[in-house]
């Protein structure tokens, strides 16, 4: 398959929305507000914005740039970029990224199934099916076994339609819908008693917290991981754009949209927590969230239920929103192994899609069967070890190993552009050091 015969994005907007969808997921809409609430509110937001510019943007650029220049799947892209001497290293790194995508999907589809079940729980409550509603809102192995494959099928249904007909078409529909739902929910929550205290906590920085090492490390980790860097999703999406596009502008657009969604998700979640607290629920203990991420399934559903019928509708919209955010992320991660099998193993897209969906289902079943032992371990292994190390490898490839076709190491081109020279220096020297600091502090 030649680069010209590959399916591709037909518009810059389609690419930006699809890539932003890959980045925007449950981490943005729940993870970011939770981190902000636990780490100084406005102080966390300020540091998050700084480290996004210093570290996450360059890492995103490196990943998309490799895919765009080589126009192949992540395994082939890294193999070619590393040259003949390090081709095997590049190929193995690509395969590790592919395994990372499978790891991510194994737990992400389970969590996405929870979101889908909670949205249907609200609908069941509306039609007075209270027992069904309670079952859908309660954690159980049976619920996991039903809703995990449903979400895998939703993802597969979009992926097998191709890049333009599936990924681009659905991303341009789902992303605006996600944004509209977020804004509508914010407007509703901000009208409730106690919401303004949450807004103040979120937006007014406590500057004494800004230099707190724990806050800085948390913000760096969140900024880095929220952009879905390190598993090949952005590389394969970059390869579906025409070569030599203005990657810098596209990367800024993706990161800006990702950061905007995280920011406005904070305007929804944190005021909602303060509304719940105003209504008498215990949300914080010693300045920290009780249960952290689990609050999404405890405090907020109770808050929505206390609001009557309108609250049930809001609950449906909220969990439907999270389901959409999860879907745009699972689409991108599934495309990583699918593109590899289509291009390298010459399997049809339809067959590759169902093959990978089956693999994801088996991996998810293993996590469900050994949930207590494996679930948290797999998430930690992916986010604190595999993703940062893969991104560090991207910087090494772009800055040191990749010679032919890489304008960032082409001395003639670097001499003609001070901007390119500065970018090359930053990716080559500064970014690996910053990333090592993040990795060491988060992993150890």
């Amino acid at each position: 398959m030649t680069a010209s015969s590959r399916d591709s994005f037909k518009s810059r907007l389609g690419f930006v929305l699809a890539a932003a969808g890959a980045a925007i997921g449950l981490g943005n809409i729940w993870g970011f507000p939770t981190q902000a609430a636990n780490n100084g509110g406005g102080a966390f937001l300020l540091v998050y914005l700084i480290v996004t510019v210093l570290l996450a943007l360059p890492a995103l650029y490196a990943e998309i740039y490799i895919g765009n220049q080589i126009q192949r799947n992540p395994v082939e892209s890294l193999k070619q970029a590393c040259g003949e001497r390090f081709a095997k290293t590049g190929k193995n790194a690509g395969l590790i990224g592919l395994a990372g995508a499978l790891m991510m999907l194994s737990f992400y589809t389970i969590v996405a199934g929870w979101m889908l079940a909670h949205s249907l729980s609200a609908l069941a409550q509306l039609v007075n099916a209270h027992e069904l509603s309670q079952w859908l809102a309660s954690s159980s192995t049976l619920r996991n076994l039903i809703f995990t494959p449903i979400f895998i099928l939703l993802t597969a249904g979009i992926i097998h339609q191709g890049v333009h007909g599936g990924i681009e078409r659905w991303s341009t529909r789902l992303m605006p819908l996600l944004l509209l739902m977020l804004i509508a929910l914010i407007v509703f929550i901000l009208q409730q008693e106690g919401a303004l205290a949450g807004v103040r906590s979120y937006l007014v920085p406590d500057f004494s917290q800004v230099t707190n090492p724990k806050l800085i490390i948390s913000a760096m980790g969140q900024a880095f991981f929220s952009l879905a860097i390190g598993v090949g999703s952005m590389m394969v999406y970059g390869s579906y754009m025409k070569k030599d596009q203005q990657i810098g502008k596209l990367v800024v657009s993706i990161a800006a949209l990702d950061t905007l969604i995280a920011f406005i998700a904070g305007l929804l979640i944190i005021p909602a927590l303060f509304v719940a607290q105003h209504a008498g629920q215990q949300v914080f203990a010693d300045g920290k969230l009780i249960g952290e991420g689990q609050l999404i399934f405890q405090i907020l559903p109770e808050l929505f239920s206390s609001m009557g019928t309108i609250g049930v509708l809001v609950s449906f919209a909220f969990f439907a929103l999270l389901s959409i955010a999860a879907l745009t992320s699972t689409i991108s991660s599934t495309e990583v192994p699918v593109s590899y099998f289509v291009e390298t193993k010459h399997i049809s897209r339809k067959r590759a899609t169902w093959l990978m969906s089956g693999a994801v289902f088996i991996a998810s079943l293993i996590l469900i069967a050994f949930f207590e032992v494996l679930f948290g371990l797999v998430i930690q292994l992916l986010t604190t070890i595999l993703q940062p190390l893969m991104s560090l490898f991207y910087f090494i490839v772009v800055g040191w190993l990749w010679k032919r076709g890489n304008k960032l190491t082409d001395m003639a081109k670097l001499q003609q552009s001070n901007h390119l020279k500065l970018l090359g220096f930053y990716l080559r020297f500064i970014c690996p050091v910053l990333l090592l600091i993040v990795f060491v502090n988060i992993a150890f």
Side-chain angles (χ1 to χ4, degrees), residues 94-130:
L95 290 171
I96 290 170
L98 190 151
L102 182 61
M103 283 173 62
M104 196 280 263
L105 287 162
S106 68
F107 70 80
Y108 213 91
T109 49
I110 296 172
V111 179
W114 299 346
M115 304 303 172
L116 199 57
H118 273 270
S119 66
L120 293 177
S121 171
L123 288 182
Q125 198 171 337
L126 278 175
V127 296
N128 295 319
H130 297 297

CSV table of all heavy atoms in Angstrom, one decimal, residues 94-130:
chain,number,residue,atom,x,y,z
A,94,GLY,N,7.7,0.6,18.2
A,94,GLY,CA,6.3,0.7,17.7
A,94,GLY,C,5.4,-0.4,18.2
A,94,GLY,O,4.2,-0.1,18.4
A,95,LEU,N,5.9,-1.6,18.3
A,95,LEU,CA,5.1,-2.7,18.8
A,95,LEU,C,4.8,-2.6,20.2
A,95,LEU,O,3.7,-2.9,20.7
A,95,LEU,CB,5.9,-4.0,18.5
A,95,LEU,CG,6.0,-4.5,17.1
A,95,LEU,CD1,7.0,-5.7,16.9
A,95,LEU,CD2,4.7,-4.8,16.5
A,96,ILE,N,5.7,-2.0,21.0
A,96,ILE,CA,5.4,-1.7,22.4
A,96,ILE,C,4.3,-0.6,22.5
A,96,ILE,O,3.4,-0.8,23.3
A,96,ILE,CB,6.7,-1.2,23.1
A,96,ILE,CG1,7.7,-2.3,23.3
A,96,ILE,CG2,6.4,-0.6,24.5
A,96,ILE,CD1,9.1,-1.9,23.8
A,97,GLY,N,4.4,0.4,21.6
A,97,GLY,CA,3.3,1.4,21.6
A,97,GLY,C,1.9,0.7,21.3
A,97,GLY,O,0.9,1.1,21.8
A,98,LEU,N,2.0,-0.2,20.3
A,98,LEU,CA,0.8,-1.0,19.9
A,98,LEU,C,0.2,-1.7,21.1
A,98,LEU,O,-1.0,-1.8,21.4
A,98,LEU,CB,1.1,-1.9,18.8
A,98,LEU,CG,0.0,-2.6,18.0
A,98,LEU,CD1,0.4,-2.9,16.6
A,98,LEU,CD2,-0.4,-3.9,18.7
A,99,ALA,N,1.1,-2.4,21.9
A,99,ALA,CA,0.7,-3.1,23.1
A,99,ALA,C,0.1,-2.1,24.1
A,99,ALA,O,-0.8,-2.5,24.8
A,99,ALA,CB,1.9,-3.8,23.7
A,100,GLY,N,0.7,-0.9,24.2
A,100,GLY,CA,0.2,0.1,25.1
A,100,GLY,C,-1.2,0.5,24.7
A,100,GLY,O,-2.1,0.7,25.6
A,101,ALA,N,-1.5,0.6,23.4
A,101,ALA,CA,-2.9,0.9,22.9
A,101,ALA,C,-3.8,-0.2,23.4
A,101,ALA,O,-5.0,0.1,23.8
A,101,ALA,CB,-2.9,1.1,21.4
A,102,LEU,N,-3.4,-1.4,23.3
A,102,LEU,CA,-4.2,-2.5,23.7
A,102,LEU,C,-4.5,-2.5,25.2
A,102,LEU,O,-5.6,-2.7,25.7
A,102,LEU,CB,-3.6,-3.9,23.3
A,102,LEU,CG,-4.4,-5.1,23.6
A,102,LEU,CD1,-5.7,-5.2,22.9
A,102,LEU,CD2,-3.6,-6.4,23.2
A,103,MET,N,-3.4,-2.2,26.0
A,103,MET,CA,-3.6,-2.0,27.4
A,103,MET,C,-4.6,-0.9,27.8
A,103,MET,O,-5.4,-1.1,28.6
A,103,MET,CB,-2.2,-1.7,28.0
A,103,MET,CG,-1.2,-2.8,28.2
A,103,MET,SD,0.4,-2.2,28.7
A,103,MET,CE,0.0,-1.5,30.3
A,104,MET,N,-4.4,0.2,27.1
A,104,MET,CA,-5.3,1.3,27.3
A,104,MET,C,-6.8,0.9,27.1
A,104,MET,O,-7.7,1.2,27.9
A,104,MET,CB,-4.9,2.5,26.5
A,104,MET,CG,-5.6,3.8,26.9
A,104,MET,SD,-7.3,4.1,26.4
A,104,MET,CE,-7.1,5.1,25.0
A,105,LEU,N,-7.0,0.3,25.9
A,105,LEU,CA,-8.3,-0.1,25.6
A,105,LEU,C,-8.9,-1.2,26.5
A,105,LEU,O,-10.1,-1.2,26.8
A,105,LEU,CB,-8.3,-0.7,24.2
A,105,LEU,CG,-8.2,0.3,23.0
A,105,LEU,CD1,-7.8,-0.4,21.7
A,105,LEU,CD2,-9.5,1.1,22.8
A,106,SER,N,-8.1,-2.0,27.1
A,106,SER,CA,-8.6,-3.1,28.0
A,106,SER,C,-9.3,-2.5,29.2
A,106,SER,O,-10.3,-3.1,29.7
A,106,SER,CB,-7.4,-4.0,28.4
A,106,SER,OG,-6.5,-3.3,29.3
A,107,PHE,N,-8.7,-1.4,29.8
A,107,PHE,CA,-9.4,-0.8,31.0
A,107,PHE,C,-10.4,0.3,30.6
A,107,PHE,O,-11.4,0.5,31.2
A,107,PHE,CB,-8.4,-0.4,32.0
A,107,PHE,CG,-7.6,0.8,31.7
A,107,PHE,CD1,-8.1,2.1,31.8
A,107,PHE,CD2,-6.3,0.7,31.2
A,107,PHE,CE1,-7.3,3.2,31.5
A,107,PHE,CE2,-5.5,1.8,30.9
A,107,PHE,CZ,-6.0,3.1,31.0
A,108,TYR,N,-10.0,1.0,29.5
A,108,TYR,CA,-10.8,2.2,29.1
A,108,TYR,C,-12.2,1.7,28.7
A,108,TYR,O,-13.2,2.4,29.0
A,108,TYR,CB,-10.2,2.9,28.0
A,108,TYR,CG,-10.4,4.4,28.0
A,108,TYR,CD1,-9.5,5.2,28.6
A,108,TYR,CD2,-11.4,5.0,27.3
A,108,TYR,CE1,-9.6,6.6,28.6
A,108,TYR,CE2,-11.6,6.4,27.3
A,108,TYR,CZ,-10.7,7.2,28.0
A,108,TYR,OH,-10.9,8.5,28.0
A,109,THR,N,-12.3,0.6,28.0
A,109,THR,CA,-13.7,0.2,27.5
A,109,THR,C,-14.5,-0.3,28.7
A,109,THR,O,-15.7,-0.2,28.7
A,109,THR,CB,-13.6,-1.0,26.5
A,109,THR,OG1,-12.7,-2.0,27.0
A,109,THR,CG2,-13.1,-0.5,25.2
A,110,ILE,N,-13.9,-0.8,29.8
A,110,ILE,CA,-14.6,-1.2,31.0
A,110,ILE,C,-15.2,0.1,31.7
A,110,ILE,O,-16.4,0.2,32.0
A,110,ILE,CB,-13.7,-1.9,32.0
A,110,ILE,CG1,-13.2,-3.2,31.4
A,110,ILE,CG2,-14.5,-2.1,33.3
A,110,ILE,CD1,-12.2,-3.9,32.3
A,111,VAL,N,-14.4,1.1,31.8
A,111,VAL,CA,-14.8,2.4,32.5
A,111,VAL,C,-15.9,3.1,31.6
A,111,VAL,O,-16.9,3.6,32.1
A,111,VAL,CB,-13.6,3.3,32.7
A,111,VAL,CG1,-14.1,4.6,33.3
A,111,VAL,CG2,-12.6,2.7,33.6
A,112,ALA,N,-15.7,3.0,30.3
A,112,ALA,CA,-16.6,3.6,29.3
A,112,ALA,C,-18.0,2.9,29.4
A,112,ALA,O,-19.0,3.5,29.4
A,112,ALA,CB,-16.1,3.5,27.9
A,113,GLY,N,-17.9,1.6,29.7
A,113,GLY,CA,-19.2,0.8,29.9
A,113,GLY,C,-19.9,1.3,31.1
A,113,GLY,O,-21.1,1.3,31.1
A,114,TRP,N,-19.2,1.7,32.2
A,114,TRP,CA,-19.8,2.2,33.4
A,114,TRP,C,-20.6,3.5,33.1
A,114,TRP,O,-21.7,3.7,33.5
A,114,TRP,CB,-18.7,2.5,34.4
A,114,TRP,CG,-17.9,1.4,34.9
A,114,TRP,CD1,-18.2,0.0,34.7
A,114,TRP,CD2,-16.7,1.4,35.7
A,114,TRP,NE1,-17.2,-0.8,35.3
A,114,TRP,CE2,-16.3,0.1,35.9
A,114,TRP,CE3,-16.0,2.4,36.2
A,114,TRP,CZ2,-15.1,-0.2,36.6
A,114,TRP,CZ3,-14.8,2.1,36.9
A,114,TRP,CH2,-14.4,0.8,37.1
A,115,MET,N,-19.9,4.4,32.3
A,115,MET,CA,-20.6,5.6,31.9
A,115,MET,C,-21.9,5.4,31.1
A,115,MET,O,-22.9,6.0,31.4
A,115,MET,CB,-19.6,6.5,31.1
A,115,MET,CG,-18.3,6.8,31.7
A,115,MET,SD,-18.4,7.6,33.3
A,115,MET,CE,-16.7,7.5,33.9
A,116,LEU,N,-21.8,4.4,30.2
A,116,LEU,CA,-23.0,4.1,29.4
A,116,LEU,C,-24.1,3.6,30.3
A,116,LEU,O,-25.3,3.9,30.1
A,116,LEU,CB,-22.6,3.1,28.3
A,116,LEU,CG,-23.4,2.9,27.1
A,116,LEU,CD1,-23.6,4.2,26.4
A,116,LEU,CD2,-22.9,1.9,26.2
A,117,ALA,N,-23.7,2.7,31.2
A,117,ALA,CA,-24.7,2.1,32.1
A,117,ALA,C,-25.4,3.2,33.0
A,117,ALA,O,-26.6,3.1,33.2
A,117,ALA,CB,-24.0,1.0,33.0
A,118,HIS,N,-24.6,4.1,33.5
A,118,HIS,CA,-25.1,5.2,34.3
A,118,HIS,C,-26.1,6.1,33.5
A,118,HIS,O,-27.1,6.6,34.0
A,118,HIS,CB,-24.0,6.0,34.9
A,118,HIS,CG,-23.5,5.4,36.2
A,118,HIS,ND1,-24.1,5.8,37.4
A,118,HIS,CD2,-22.6,4.5,36.5
A,118,HIS,CE1,-23.5,5.1,38.4
A,118,HIS,NE2,-22.5,4.3,37.9
A,119,SER,N,-25.7,6.4,32.2
A,119,SER,CA,-26.6,7.2,31.4
A,119,SER,C,-28.0,6.5,31.2
A,119,SER,O,-29.0,7.1,31.3
A,119,SER,CB,-26.0,7.6,30.1
A,119,SER,OG,-25.8,6.4,29.3
A,120,LEU,N,-27.9,5.1,31.0
A,120,LEU,CA,-29.1,4.4,30.8
A,120,LEU,C,-29.9,4.2,32.1
A,120,LEU,O,-31.1,4.1,32.1
A,120,LEU,CB,-28.8,3.0,30.2
A,120,LEU,CG,-28.3,3.0,28.8
A,120,LEU,CD1,-27.9,1.6,28.4
A,120,LEU,CD2,-29.3,3.6,27.8
A,121,SER,N,-29.2,4.3,33.2
A,121,SER,CA,-29.8,4.2,34.5
A,121,SER,C,-30.7,5.4,34.7
A,121,SER,O,-31.9,5.3,35.3
A,121,SER,CB,-28.7,4.2,35.7
A,121,SER,OG,-29.3,4.3,36.9
A,122,ALA,N,-30.3,6.6,34.3
A,122,ALA,CA,-31.1,7.8,34.4
A,122,ALA,C,-32.4,7.6,33.5
A,122,ALA,O,-33.5,8.0,34.0
A,122,ALA,CB,-30.3,9.0,33.9
A,123,LEU,N,-32.2,7.0,32.3
A,123,LEU,CA,-33.4,6.8,31.5
A,123,LEU,C,-34.4,5.9,32.1
A,123,LEU,O,-35.6,6.0,32.0
A,123,LEU,CB,-33.0,6.3,30.1
A,123,LEU,CG,-32.3,7.3,29.2
A,123,LEU,CD1,-31.9,6.6,27.8
A,123,LEU,CD2,-33.1,8.5,28.9
A,124,ALA,N,-33.9,4.8,32.7
A,124,ALA,CA,-34.7,3.8,33.4
A,124,ALA,C,-35.5,4.5,34.5
A,124,ALA,O,-36.7,4.1,34.8
A,124,ALA,CB,-33.9,2.6,33.9
A,125,GLN,N,-34.8,5.4,35.2
A,125,GLN,CA,-35.5,6.1,36.3
A,125,GLN,C,-36.6,7.0,35.8
A,125,GLN,O,-37.7,7.1,36.5
A,125,GLN,CB,-34.4,7.0,37.0
A,125,GLN,CG,-34.9,7.4,38.4
A,125,GLN,CD,-33.7,8.1,39.2
A,125,GLN,OE1,-32.6,7.9,38.9
A,125,GLN,NE2,-34.1,8.9,40.2
A,126,LEU,N,-36.4,7.5,34.6
A,126,LEU,CA,-37.5,8.4,34.1
A,126,LEU,C,-38.8,7.6,33.7
A,126,LEU,O,-39.9,8.2,33.8
A,126,LEU,CB,-37.0,9.0,32.8
A,126,LEU,CG,-36.1,10.3,32.9
A,126,LEU,CD1,-35.6,10.7,31.5
A,126,LEU,CD2,-36.9,11.4,33.5
A,127,VAL,N,-38.6,6.3,33.4
A,127,VAL,CA,-39.8,5.5,33.1
A,127,VAL,C,-40.2,4.6,34.2
A,127,VAL,O,-40.9,3.6,34.1
A,127,VAL,CB,-39.5,4.6,31.8
A,127,VAL,CG1,-39.3,5.5,30.6
A,127,VAL,CG2,-38.3,3.7,32.0
A,128,ASN,N,-39.7,5.0,35.4
A,128,ASN,CA,-40.1,4.3,36.7
A,128,ASN,C,-39.6,2.9,36.8
A,128,ASN,O,-40.2,2.1,37.5
A,128,ASN,CB,-41.6,4.4,36.9
A,128,ASN,CG,-42.0,5.8,37.2
A,128,ASN,OD1,-41.4,6.6,37.8
A,128,ASN,ND2,-43.2,6.2,36.6
A,129,ALA,N,-38.6,2.5,36.0
A,129,ALA,CA,-38.0,1.1,36.1
A,129,ALA,C,-36.9,1.2,37.2
A,129,ALA,O,-35.7,1.1,36.9
A,129,ALA,CB,-37.5,0.7,34.8
A,130,HIS,N,-37.4,1.3,38.4
A,130,HIS,CA,-36.4,1.6,39.5
A,130,HIS,C,-35.4,0.5,39.8
A,130,HIS,O,-34.2,0.8,40.1
A,130,HIS,CB,-37.2,2.0,40.8
A,130,HIS,CG,-38.0,3.3,40.6
A,130,HIS,ND1,-37.4,4.5,40.3
A,130,HIS,CD2,-39.4,3.5,40.6
A,130,HIS,CE1,-38.4,5.4,40.2
A,130,HIS,NE2,-39.6,4.8,40.4
